[in-house]
């Protein structure tokens, strides 16, 4: 336990007793949670323990989840009034995303604004370092949230009704408008796993903890390390607004930027074409999220799914799907790119198209009809434009007729 570097504040309350119920323990042949990543190296990950206390303040209650370079834990703050719940994000040692996220969140915290979208961005309550086997691990403390959009996909039965879908998109746009117009921040990783639902009633976590401690999740013992299975969450009875989270790859400052960002299946055209980019890549990603994930909920389909072994190989397949859905890219966008000739031939035809389905947005949209279908597709096309300057801003998208018609 890290009982050093005591944080200032009220004296800590007594530690909560650890659960005594038995749990399933896996053998060494099982790969659990973060162990399933091909790049996982136990020496680089901090072995958090249930019951552990960080900074004489944050007691670990259960594991909420894991990402490519971090694990996330539900804790209680022993020095806060009411012993409120918090989450701790514990990074792999020495990873660039840890310092980047801390820097971006400190910057966002410094902004004084009345913009309502600031409430829809997950800020940082505290940060510190804990020593691991190979060096320090950055730990970020957040308000606890419930499920991500990815998490609610299966629970919602595969589709979302308009009265849930539209407010969710509006909330995301409001948060993006704050980031873009006030903070001048590009998130760069807008996708279903990074949009989470707020919690309006903290007793939600009382029930989660009671259930977990009565029947603890499975775990694996590996020498002096314990790898815990993540605790499953349910959709709260009164889910709150969508919150934009995870700023490990975010950028702020003078635009445009250059360089590789965005997950493979969400890449904007300018990323594949290696053209300088700005906040409009977030708008593109939101458009793809409506298609790939929110539309997956709404329509029960998944349009972008071609994932090949390397980022370079998947570029052709990804670009072919864009051409299918949106038509050919504008010549002036290709002229800005030094690598366009590797993807398109002299006549503007895509090289190496391997049979990607040739269907338009109109073909793919099957549930809506008439004016409602036209308005929905018009909304999508405001985000999914080849040229970034042709994409609508978050502020303009919030005024869209389809989105405003509840």
């Amino acid at each position: 336990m890290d009982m050093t570097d005591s944080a200032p504040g009220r004296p800590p309350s007594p530690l909560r007793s650890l659960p005594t119920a038995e749990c399933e323990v896996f053998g060494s042949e099982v790969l659990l949670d973060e162990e399933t990543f091909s790049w996982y190296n136990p020496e680089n990950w901090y072995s958090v323990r249930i019951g552990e206390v960080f900074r004489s303040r944050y007691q670990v209650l259960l594991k909420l989840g894991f990402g490519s370079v971090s694990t996330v834990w539900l804790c209680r703050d022993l020095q806060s009034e009411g012993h409120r719940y918090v989450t701790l994000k514990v990074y792999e040692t020495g990873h660039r995303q840890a310092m980047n996220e801390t820097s971006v969140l400190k910057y966002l915290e410094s902004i004084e604004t009345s913009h309502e979208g600031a409430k829809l961005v997950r800020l940082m309550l505290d940060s510190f370092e804990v020593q691991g086997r190979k060096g320090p691990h950055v730990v970020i403390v957040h308000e606890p949230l419930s499920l991500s959009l990815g998490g609610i996909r299966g629970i919602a039965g595969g589709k979302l009704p308009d009265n849930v879908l539209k407010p969710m998109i509006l909330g995301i746009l409001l948060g993006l408008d704050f980031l873009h117009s006030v903070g001048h921040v590009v998130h760069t990783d807008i996708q279903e796993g990074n949009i989470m639902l707020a919690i309006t009633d903290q007793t939600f976590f009382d029930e989660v903890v009671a259930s977990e401690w009565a029947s603890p999740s499975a775990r694996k013992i590996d020498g002096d390390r314990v790898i815990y299975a993540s605790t499953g969450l349910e959709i709260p009875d009164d889910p709150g607004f969508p919150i934009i989270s995870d700023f490990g790859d975010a950028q702020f400052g003078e635009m445009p930027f250059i360089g590789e960002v965005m997950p493979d299946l969400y890449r904007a055209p300018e990323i594949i074409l290696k053209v300088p980019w700005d906040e409009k890549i977030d708008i593109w990603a939101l458009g793809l999220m409506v298609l790939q994930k929110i539309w997956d909920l709404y329509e029960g389909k998944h349009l972008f799914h071609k994932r090949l072994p390397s980022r370079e190989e998947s570029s052709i397949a990804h670009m072919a799907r864009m051409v299918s859905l949106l038509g050919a890219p504008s010549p002036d966008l290709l002229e800005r790119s030094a690598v366009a000739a590797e993807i398109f031939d002299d006549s503007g035809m895509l090289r190496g198209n391997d049979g990607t389905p040739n269907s338009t947005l109109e073909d793919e949209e099957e549930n809506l009809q008439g004016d409602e279908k036209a308005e929905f597709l018009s909304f999508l096309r405001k985000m999914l434009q080849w040229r970034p300057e042709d994409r609508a801003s978050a502020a303009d998208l919030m005024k869209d007729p389809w989105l405003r018609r509840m």
Side-chain angles (χ1 to χ4, degrees):
M1 294 186 184
D2 176 16
M3 299 294 290
T4 62
D5 189 21
S6 178
R10 54 184 282 167
S13 61
L15 301 182
R16 183 171 293 186
S17 300
L18 295 177
T20 57
E22 293 187 2
C23 64
E24 183 176 8
V25 179
F26 294 126
S28 59
E29 73 281 359
V30 174
L31 296 180
L32 189 60
D33 279 19
E34 59 268 21
E35 289 186 303
T36 59
F37 293 127
S38 61
W39 56 86
Y40 175 77
N41 179 348
E43 296 295 311
N44 295 334
W45 293 65
Y46 186 82
S47 181
V48 178
R49 298 287 188 109
I50 302 298
E52 184 169 5
V53 178
F54 290 93
R55 300 190 78 203
S56 303
R57 179 169 187 171
Y58 305 113
Q59 185 185 18
V60 179
L61 304 180
L62 54 87
K63 185 179 183 181
L64 285 171
F66 64 100
S68 60
V69 295
S70 63
T71 53
V72 181
W73 306 81
L74 181 68
C75 305
R76 68 167 183 155
D77 183 349
L78 302 178
Q79 294 190 13
S80 68
E81 185 174 356
H83 313 142
R84 67 175 177 174
Y85 291 106
V86 296
T87 61
L88 264 59
K89 182 176 185 178
V90 184
Y91 266 103
E92 180 184 25
T93 188
H95 201 279
R96 60 163 186 83
Q97 287 187 359
M99 298 308 298
N100 188 73
E101 180 162 31
T102 303
S103 174
V104 173
L105 292 179
K106 285 181 177 178
Y107 163 70
L108 287 172
E109 186 180 325
S110 72
I111 298 174
E112 296 184 8
T113 180
S114 60
H115 195 295
E116 287 296 312
K119 301 174 183 177
L120 302 178
V121 172
R122 193 180 202 184
L123 298 180
M124 182 170 61
L125 300 176
D126 190 10
S127 67
F128 55 93
E129 291 185 347
V130 59
Q131 187 65 32
R133 290 183 178 180
K134 293 183 66 176
H137 298 260
V138 172
V139 182
I140 296 177
V141 184
H142 292 292
E143 291 282 358
L145 300 173
S146 65
L147 293 166
S148 69
L149 291 190
I152 70 174
R153 187 148 51 98
I155 299 176
K159 295 185 180 181
L160 280 181
D162 269 8
N163 64 345
V164 176
L165 175 69
K166 291 182 178 181
M168 195 170 294
I169 297 173
L170 273 170
I172 296 169
L173 286 170
L174 187 59
L176 284 178
D177 186 48
F178 161 69
L179 290 175
H180 295 169
S181 65
V182 178
H184 306 291
V185 171
V186 187
H187 186 279
T188 81
D189 194 12
I190 295 295
Q191 42 112 336
E192 63 168 4
N194 291 335
I195 306 297
M196 305 184 74
L197 296 179
I199 291 292
T200 57
D201 182 1
Q202 292 296 303
T203 61
F204 169 80
F205 287 112
D206 291 337
E207 298 174 4
V208 171
V209 172
S211 176
E212 170 64 19
W213 285 33
S215 180
S217 296
R219 61 204 59 183
K220 173 181 172 180
I221 311 298
D222 181 14
D224 61 350
R225 299 179 61 83
V226 181
I227 299 93
Y228 297 88
S230 301
T231 300
L233 298 180
E234 299 293 330
I235 300 177
D237 293 334
D238 184 21
F241 294 108
I243 304 294
I244 300 172
S245 65
D246 196 341
F247 288 80
D249 286 316
Q251 298 290 323
F252 67 94
E254 187 175 350
M255 301 183 201
F257 301 104
I258 57 173
E260 287 280 345
V261 289
M262 308 184 80
D264 282 3
L265 296 182
Y266 286 84
R267 281 179 291 173
E270 56 267 41
I271 301 301
I272 296 177
L273 293 170
K274 302 187 185 303
V275 172
W277 49 269
D278 58 18
E279 79 281 355
K280 292 297 183 69
I281 66 170
D282 286 345
I283 300 299
W284 173 274
L286 178 60
L288 283 197
M289 195 168 71
V290 173
L291 279 172
Q292 293 186 190
K293 301 301 182 183
I294 297 179
W295 192 339
D296 189 28
L297 292 165
Y298 186 54
E299 291 284 330
K301 62 176 67 175
H302 193 175
L303 295 181
F304 280 74
H305 54 78
K306 190 84 170 185
R307 190 186 295 274
L308 294 173
S310 74
R311 191 170 172 92
E312 291 72 24
E313 288 178 275
S314 67
S315 294
I316 295 294
H318 192 71
M319 192 68 80
R321 196 65 174 118
M322 292 183 198
V323 172
S324 168
L325 293 170
L326 308 177
S330 57
D332 78 304
L333 177 63
L334 300 183
E335 290 171 0
R336 304 178 208 174
S337 170
V339 300
E342 300 172 13
I343 303 173
F344 294 89
D345 63 24
D346 292 340
S347 61
M349 299 297 292
L350 193 65
R351 299 182 187 275
N353 190 351
D354 60 351
T356 300
N358 185 25
S359 57
T360 65
L361 288 177
E362 286 73 14
D363 296 331
E364 294 287 351
E365 172 27 69
E366 299 170 347
N367 286 0
L368 302 178
Q369 301 295 327
D371 292 343
E372 186 178 6
K373 176 175 180 175
E375 284 188 352
F376 180 51
L377 294 178
S378 174
F379 173 68
L380 289 176
R381 288 190 181 280
K382 290 177 183 178
M383 295 181 281
L384 297 178
Q385 292 288 325
W386 284 104
R387 301 194 319 160
E389 60 267 33
D390 293 336
R391 293 172 213 150
S393 67
D396 287 338
L397 286 166
M398 285 189 286
K399 305 170 188 174
D400 182 83
W402 174 81
L403 198 56
R404 286 294 179 180
R405 186 171 291 113
M406 299 294 183

